[in-house]
């Protein structure tokens, strides 16, 4: 029996980032994050929450795997479930147990993670079908990362379905983007995601900066915005 989890919300929407944008998913947003990235669009997930919501109803944390599964199931058939946050792998045993249950509903399991906690990712990786890594650049405010740890996270997803996104801003450094690109295995799609200006410190890159950052990657790269922001999806 897995430990209970601490959630923020469970809802149905469409994936808004990377190569899977537009995919209908049930989102399981876990609460709690060890980082404070400048560009974070979900600061409400930073602290562990005392309650979570589903369909506008508030429920107390912690929540059992069975109750979380019931919330996922309540949205009806969906091709995929997304574990997002916060940082989901802070609760690896809960994520693993819930993901395995979601597979029995015929859903593919998708994990959003910062790629900074390889030891915890290792505890749930076998239950994940698609890995979406949000690799951090060390000079971004609020980030603590270590390239070796990130490399180990990517190694856990090697040969599996996975992609890497790097959020870029006007002040992102070419050498750091280049280093991120170097550690991404060639078979993993790499996305430069244009930062959404969620606060005054988050300035999206202008065209010239974006071109320089793209060139610094030295490999094929997709440049994408957050589609859910443009489309008005949650
Ligand atoms: S890791 Fe994700 S949830 Fe945590 S601060 Fe960074 S962007 Fe926000």
């Amino acid at each position: 029996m897995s430990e209970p989890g601490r959630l923020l919300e469970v809802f149905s929407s469409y994936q808004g980032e990377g190569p899977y944008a537009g995919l209908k998913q049930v989102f399981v947003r876990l609460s709690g994050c060890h980082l404070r990235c400048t560009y974070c669009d979900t600061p409400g997930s930073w602290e562990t929450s005392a309650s979570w919501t589903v369909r506008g109803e508030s429920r107390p944390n912690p929540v059992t795997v069975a109750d979380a599964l019931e919330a996922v199931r309540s949205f009806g058939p969906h091709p995929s479930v997304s574990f997002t946050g916060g940082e989901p792998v802070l609760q690896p045993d809960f994520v693993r147990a819930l993901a395995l249950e979601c597979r029995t509903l015929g859903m593919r399991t998708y994990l959003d993670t910062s790629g900074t906690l390889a030891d915890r990712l290792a505890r749930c990786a076998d239950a994940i079908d698609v890995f979406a890594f949000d690799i951090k650049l060390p000079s971004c405010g609020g980030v603590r990362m270590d390239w070796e740890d990130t490399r180990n996270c990517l190694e856990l997803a090697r040969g599996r379905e996975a992609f890497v996104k790097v959020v870029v801003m006007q002040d992102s450094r070419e050498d750091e983007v280049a280093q991120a690109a170097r550690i991404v295995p060639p078979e993993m799609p790499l996305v430069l995601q244009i930062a959404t200006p969620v606060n005054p410190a988050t300035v999206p890159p202008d065209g010239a900066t974006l071109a320089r950052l793209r060139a610094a990657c030295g490999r094929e790269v997709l440049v994408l915005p957050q589609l859910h922001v443009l489309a008005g999806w949650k």
Side-chain angles (χ1 to χ4, degrees), residues 163-180:
F163 74 93
V164 170
K165 73 173 192 212
V166 176
V167 176
V168 288
M169 302 190 285
Q170 180 62 19
D171 62 357
S172 295
R173 287 172 36 179
E174 284 167 54
D175 61 323
E176 292 184 354
V177 171
Q179 185 158 5

Side-chain angles (χ1 to χ4, degrees), residues 11 27-31 42 82-88 110-112:
F11 60 97
F27 290 79
V28 176
R29 187 183 302 286
L30 290 96
S31 68
T42 51
S82 172
F83 294 94
T84 187
E87 173 49 86
Y110 178 110
L111 175 70
D112 258 325

Side-chain angles (χ1 to χ4, degrees), residues 29 32-43 45-46 84-88 113-114 116 134 136 142-143 165 167:
R29 187 183 302 286
C33 188
H34 59 307
L35 302 180
R36 297 290 182 266
C37 310
T38 297
Y39 58 77
C40 183
D41 59 2
T42 51
S45 67
W46 289 348
T84 187
E87 173 49 86
T113 181
S114 59
T116 57
D134 176 6
K136 311 298 178 184
V143 162
K165 73 173 192 212
V167 176

